[in-house]
């Protein structure tokens, strides 16, 4: 999911709603067979992003998850970029937030699901 920011009106929120498509290449070095997620949220005029993400990760089992993302998008917009990649923001937050949930549920190590080599681009 990409947001086009070139027609963005000043002082107007942009509503975000839809399916997140994580590129299959991100999952290559992991034990994740599939990742499905859906997001809703807002991008405010001051570039503050608020998202709620609901989804499921399928390994040998299916793990549902929910997470909230609150972030300023300025770091994602370089050189007057006019498109914001919501997929990348969600993926970064999944690999930061979900490990705690997996470790609690499986009493295992998250590196068994997403090894260090699968955590970088």
């Amino acid at each position: 999911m990409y947001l086009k920011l070139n027609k963005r009106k000043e002082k107007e929120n942009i509503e975000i709603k839809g399916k997140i498509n994580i590129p299959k290449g991100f999952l290559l070095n992991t034990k994740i067979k599939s990742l499905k997620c859906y997001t809703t949220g807002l991008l405010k005029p001051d570039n503050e992003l608020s998202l709620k993400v609901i989804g499921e990760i399928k390994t040998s089992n299916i793990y549902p998850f929910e997470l909230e993302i609150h972030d300023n998008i300025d770091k994602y917009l370089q050189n007057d970029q006019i498109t914001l990649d919501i997929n990348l923001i969600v993926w970064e937050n999944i690999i930061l937030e979900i490990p705690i949930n997996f470790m609690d549920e499986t009493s295992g190590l998250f590196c068994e699901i997403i090894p260090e080599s699968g955590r970088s681009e």
Side-chain angles (χ1 to χ4, degrees):
M1 170 186 300
Y2 295 91
L3 291 182
K4 297 224 182 251
L5 303 176
N6 58 340
K7 295 182 182 178
R8 185 176 177 190
K9 295 181 181 176
E10 196 173 319
K11 300 187 189 234
E12 189 173 291
N13 291 336
I14 297 176
E15 186 176 353
I16 302 166
K17 188 175 186 179
K19 183 180 174 185
I20 296 297
N21 296 308
I22 302 297
K24 291 191 180 208
F26 284 24
L27 306 179
L28 282 179
N29 295 320
T30 72
K31 291 187 178 183
I32 297 175
K33 295 177 183 172
S34 69
L35 172 63
K36 297 177 184 175
C37 49
Y38 184 82
T39 190
T40 58
L42 286 176
L43 176 60
K44 297 180 181 176
D46 61 357
N47 285 345
E48 288 298 320
L49 178 69
S50 295
L51 293 176
K52 182 173 184 177
V53 182
I54 300 171
E56 65 181 32
I57 293 175
K58 182 178 180 186
T59 58
S60 55
N61 294 311
I62 295 175
Y63 299 97
F65 69 88
E66 268 187 51
L67 64 100
E68 290 188 16
I69 300 169
H70 301 282
D71 203 354
N72 187 292
I73 64 163
D74 288 339
K75 63 185 173 191
Y76 298 100
L77 299 175
Q78 299 172 359
N79 302 325
D80 296 322
Q81 189 175 338
I82 60 168
T83 304
L84 179 65
D85 185 354
I86 299 295
N87 300 321
L88 178 61
I89 295 171
V90 170
W91 175 247
E92 286 179 356
N93 280 272
I94 286 172
I95 62 175
L96 291 174
E97 300 292 329
I98 300 302
I100 295 167
N101 295 337
F102 273 100
M103 288 172 65
D104 289 346
E105 289 181 22
T106 64
S107 298
L109 298 173
F110 188 69
C111 62
E112 294 172 0
I113 297 167
I114 300 181
E116 201 64 41
S117 63
R119 296 182 196 182
S120 61
E121 295 181 38

